Amino acid sequence: MAAPLTLLLIVAVTIRAVLFRSSWAELISERVEVVSPLNAWKRVVEGLALLDLGVSPYSGDVFHETPFMIYLFHFVVDYAEIVFMIADGITAVALYLSIQTYNKNVFRKQKYALESDRYPADCLELLRSPKEMFYIPLKVAMFYLLNPFTILSCVAKSTCGLNNAIIALFILCTLKGSALLSGILLALATYQSIYPLTLFAPALLFFLQRLYIPVNLRRSSFWFFTLQYAFIYVGSLVVITGLSFFLLGSWDFIPSVYGFIFSVPDLTPNIGLFWYFFAEMFEHFRLFFICVFQINVFFYTIPLSIKLKEHPVFLIFMQIAIISIFKSYPTVGDVALYMAFLPAWSHLYRFLRNIFLVSCVLLACSALFPVLWHLWIYAGSANSNFYYAITLLFNFGQILLVSDYFYAYLRREHHLTHGLYLKKKDGTEATLVLK
Amino acid sequence: MGLLSDPNRRKALTGLLTRLNTPICIVCYLAGIVWFMGLAFEPFTLRTYMSENAMGSTMVEERFSSGERALSLAKEFDAHKRQARGMPVEWLVKAMQSRGLEVFTQSFSRKLPFPDENKERYMVRGTNVYGILRAPRAPRTEALVITAPCSPGNTNNQAVALLLALAQYFRNQIYWAKDIIFLVNEHDLIGTQAWLEGYHHTNITGMEYSPLQGRAGSIQAALSLELSSDVITSLDLVLEGLNGQLPNLDLANLFYAFCQKLGVLCTIQGKLQRNDWDTAEGYTHAAQTMMLMVLKQACGRSWGDHGLFLRYHIEAASVRGINSFRHYKTDATTIGRLLEGMVRKLNNLLERLHQSYFFYLLPSLSRFVSIGYYMPAFGLLAVILLLRVSFPGLCHCFSVSLQPSSPGVLTVLTPVVISHLTGVALYLLPVHLQEMAVEHFPVSETEAVVLTAIAIYTAGLALPHNTQRLLSGEGTEQGWKVLKLTALLYLAVLLGCTALINFSLGFILAVTLVPITASITPHMPKALYAVVMVLLSPAFTILYCVFIYQELIEAPVSVSEGWMLFLSVISQGILDHALYGSLVYPLLALFIYPCWLMFWNILFWN
């Protein structure tokens, strides 16, 4: 399997290298769908210039990257294009290995369950075959590397690609079972953009499942491991933050990065839901609605963790998707990360209900974003409402996509325990409804 | 969400759509056409009204009275133009300076990709002269532009003269709050393009020009004046700009309001307004006017000097004087007053024109159809594509193509790639191969470009369906369905985006492309459907548009003349793309034609 993956990497790098050299690169790096105030390359360059002048990069409200990021680029700014290509490669390989590991686990579990005769007889067609699972990791890597969204994000040199690489490495370490590395990488991801904080729950659930520790609040082993993992996580977070302080010698970055993410002062249009709403709102409601909007990202963790506590990897997927929909400055690079997981759930296909509609909606929206932007900004004939309408539709499509996969996953699990052909009490065919 | 999650209702809905698919599609198509034709019916349209406060309530009094002097200036200008065999730059500079303007010149040169046979030019070299009247009452951050093209021959002399007379009159008034720029440009659109690029410090079309020495504030609005006779019978308003962009409707309202006030006959598309909407003739007249606007907008070229201003977010329109055989004539003084009034009202603007509509169609000057009324006509056509996509057989294919180990995706990839490569060839080769073509065939450069384009277009019909069979073996039932699904979705997105930017183009393409693409399958009588498909292909659409346009402007042509016109339309389209960045040619070559080829591929799938 190494050969196709290498081939894929070469193709992906070639496409990116060609685009970097073409006249499109500049155009792409200006698109609001691809870069946000948080991760625009232009702002990184500005921060670097300030740093070289001996001024704090956070003075002037342009730069919102973390101190690690600016020191990373301080050394490799001349090789930025290569760094971004490598980051994409790392993400793809990490996702490839994680899904491979995950599939092995899934298959092993399925084998045990089959041997112990736990599946109803009519469910055999729902079981997964090694033949079908063989190409999934490669498809995942392909979905990430050749996704136009990733390519655009990479060509625009949006630092979103680096954040994705950290999250992908975190997933890999988690699935490989290394609690220490997983905790450290999760802390790093949190440090980069806060929102990955919600991935703590699925990672913890995964380790508990792996170590056969039941999720039981009265068991000491549960608390022992939870505290252990939380300690690694919080400890590394503190160390990383402390290091950043020593790097710059000031706490400037806290309000400038995390304050910026939470309070959403920059209302440049993007593909998210925040900008239009906060541009229209009366100032004295702002705090209240910021809380309401930000809670969205974190709130779903609790019900999802309860519902999916047996399936932490699917929970990771759900969480990443929710982050990319509800975060304050989303870009297409975030969308690309969770879309890479879709091939891993290809066995759910028969239970998906709206996948066709959703793919049409997402496709049409992607085409309409630049068109309506042109009409609004350049032609001056449309206005922000046109653009926001498409943003809403795009997010509606994403939410429908995620909830559809959620429903399909639960339904398959339901069938695996209760049999495929359900009957109502009176003997007629039953239908499952998600309520 | 009930509809999306309740399985029973979903089943009922899909059942209904499946059973009645074809009838629904036919009804939608007819309804779309009828809706569109209904737009010209007066009770369905809205009366135009002035939305901009700054231009509505403030009445201005027109006092311009030097029409006679303008006419004598025109004679003088004509004499100097003859003497200089082109634009009399020095005379113009002197004339403007003596009227108290700050005068500057800009020289430009442009080599066309191939000779323009309509206007007989290849290497273009010229000069723009412009004078700025500085506003006495404001910080000079905003400006208005009045432009008159200096055309060869003895056309447009009166326009330039009236411009100078107006400059002299305006100079003596104290109420100007915006700088007024008087621009006389040479080589019509090329000169305007050079001036605009110089003014805004951009270079998007590879023009060579000298930088502008003098500049005013950001331009709020522009009027272009075309006048070739001493007296006129009516004034025609031209709105259609580059890529089908239109100025804010308030500019048209302003023109209409002043024509009413001064009793000047005004037309749009050269058609007078009629009051008998309830008779068949009245309706036909309105429909013809609207169809003319649709055709002009669809072709995406700039129909006057104003068209290029629109790209820079400047509201602009051309006013064209027409002298026909009516008794009732209007003299130069009245036209001057009309312009004075318009400029004074524009001078009162506090912000850019934005209150009124940007998306509209005009069946007459006093009636308009807004986007909310005309979009359903396109929507009804586009929904057919979506209905055919959701056709269950195709939906099922989508599921299959997602399954592992299905050949679906790969078999589709070959025709898609080949069609697009043909499109790229159609886009690039005609201009690049002209030298080679001229060497080997006895044709001129322009003919070479057009004929190469037609040759590639025709060759594309033969190419794709042969190659895909070589690569993927026997075409399967599954294969064409997946291809059709892809192509339908592609066409729907493409037409949707086109219609948003240029409704007319999107609608015309939808009318011809939708019926055949929605119904095509490989199991039809091949010869018959091949003929029908070719007759409904994008190139033939252009040909029909040429004939319909000629019919509508009451200058019907014979078949051979029509063919010659068709050829010149193609060369003009390519030139417009190269010179001004019109997008119709790349859109047709790179997207619409490949998409159509994909359907052509389905017909010959086996």
Side-chain angles (χ1 to χ4, degrees), chain A residues 108-166:
Chain A
R108 193 159 14 133
K109 262 188 211 160
Q110 183 181 292
K111 210 168 96 187
Y112 290 144
L114 202 60
E115 278 165 4
S116 55
D117 236 2
R118 238 182 290 155
Y119 291 131
D122 58 354
C123 274
L124 290 180
E125 58 181 291
L126 284 185
L127 297 185
R128 309 182 59 189
S129 66
K131 185 172 160 254
E132 165 238 334
M133 284 160 85
F134 185 68
Y135 285 108
I136 285 178
L138 190 67
K139 276 191 194 166
V140 169
M142 193 164 83
F143 254 61
Y144 187 74
L145 281 179
L146 300 187
N147 188 338
F149 287 164
T150 326
I151 297 177
L152 288 177
S153 185
C154 180
V155 173
K157 295 195 254 185
S158 151
T159 52
C160 175
L162 297 174
N163 294 350
N164 283 353
I166 297 173

Side-chain angles (χ1 to χ4, degrees), chain B residues 89-106:
Chain B
V89 178
E90 279 170 29
W91 182 82
L92 266 174
V93 169
K94 258 187 214 140
M96 282 189 182
Q97 261 164 356
S98 69
R99 281 164 181 77
L101 305 181
E102 284 178 34
V103 190
F104 306 95
T105 58
Q106 179 206 28

Side-chain angles (χ1 to χ4, degrees), chain A residues 349 353-354 356 360 367 380-381, chain B residues 10 313 358 389 398-399 402 493:
Chain A
Y349 187 77
R353 299 162 305 172
N354 301 319
F356 182 67
C360 291
S381 41
Chain B
R10 281 165 65 92
H313 216 319
F358 282 97
V389 165
F398 181 71
S399 69
L402 278 191
V493 171

Side-chain angles (χ1 to χ4, degrees), chain A residues 132 139 349 353-357 359-360 364 367-368 371-372 375 377-382 396 400 431-433, chain B residues 1 4-5 7-8 10 245 311 313 358-359 371 389-390 395 398-399 402-405 485 489 493 497 500-501:
Chain A
E132 165 238 334
K139 276 191 194 166
Y349 187 77
R353 299 162 305 172
N354 301 319
I355 184 70
F356 182 67
L357 177 74
S359 2
C360 291
L368 285 175
V371 169
L372 290 171
L375 284 183
I377 300 297
Y378 295 102
S381 41
F396 164 76
L400 206 57
T431 48
L432 284 180
V433 181
Chain B
M1 291 298 280
L4 289 176
S5 55
N8 294 327
R10 281 165 65 92
Q245 247 184 298
R311 174 161 51 195
H313 216 319
F358 282 97
F359 298 101
I371 182 168
V389 165
S390 62
C395 237
F398 181 71
S399 69
L402 278 191
Q403 298 286 317
S405 78
L485 179 105
L489 268 180
V493 171
C497 291
L500 272 175
I501 292 180

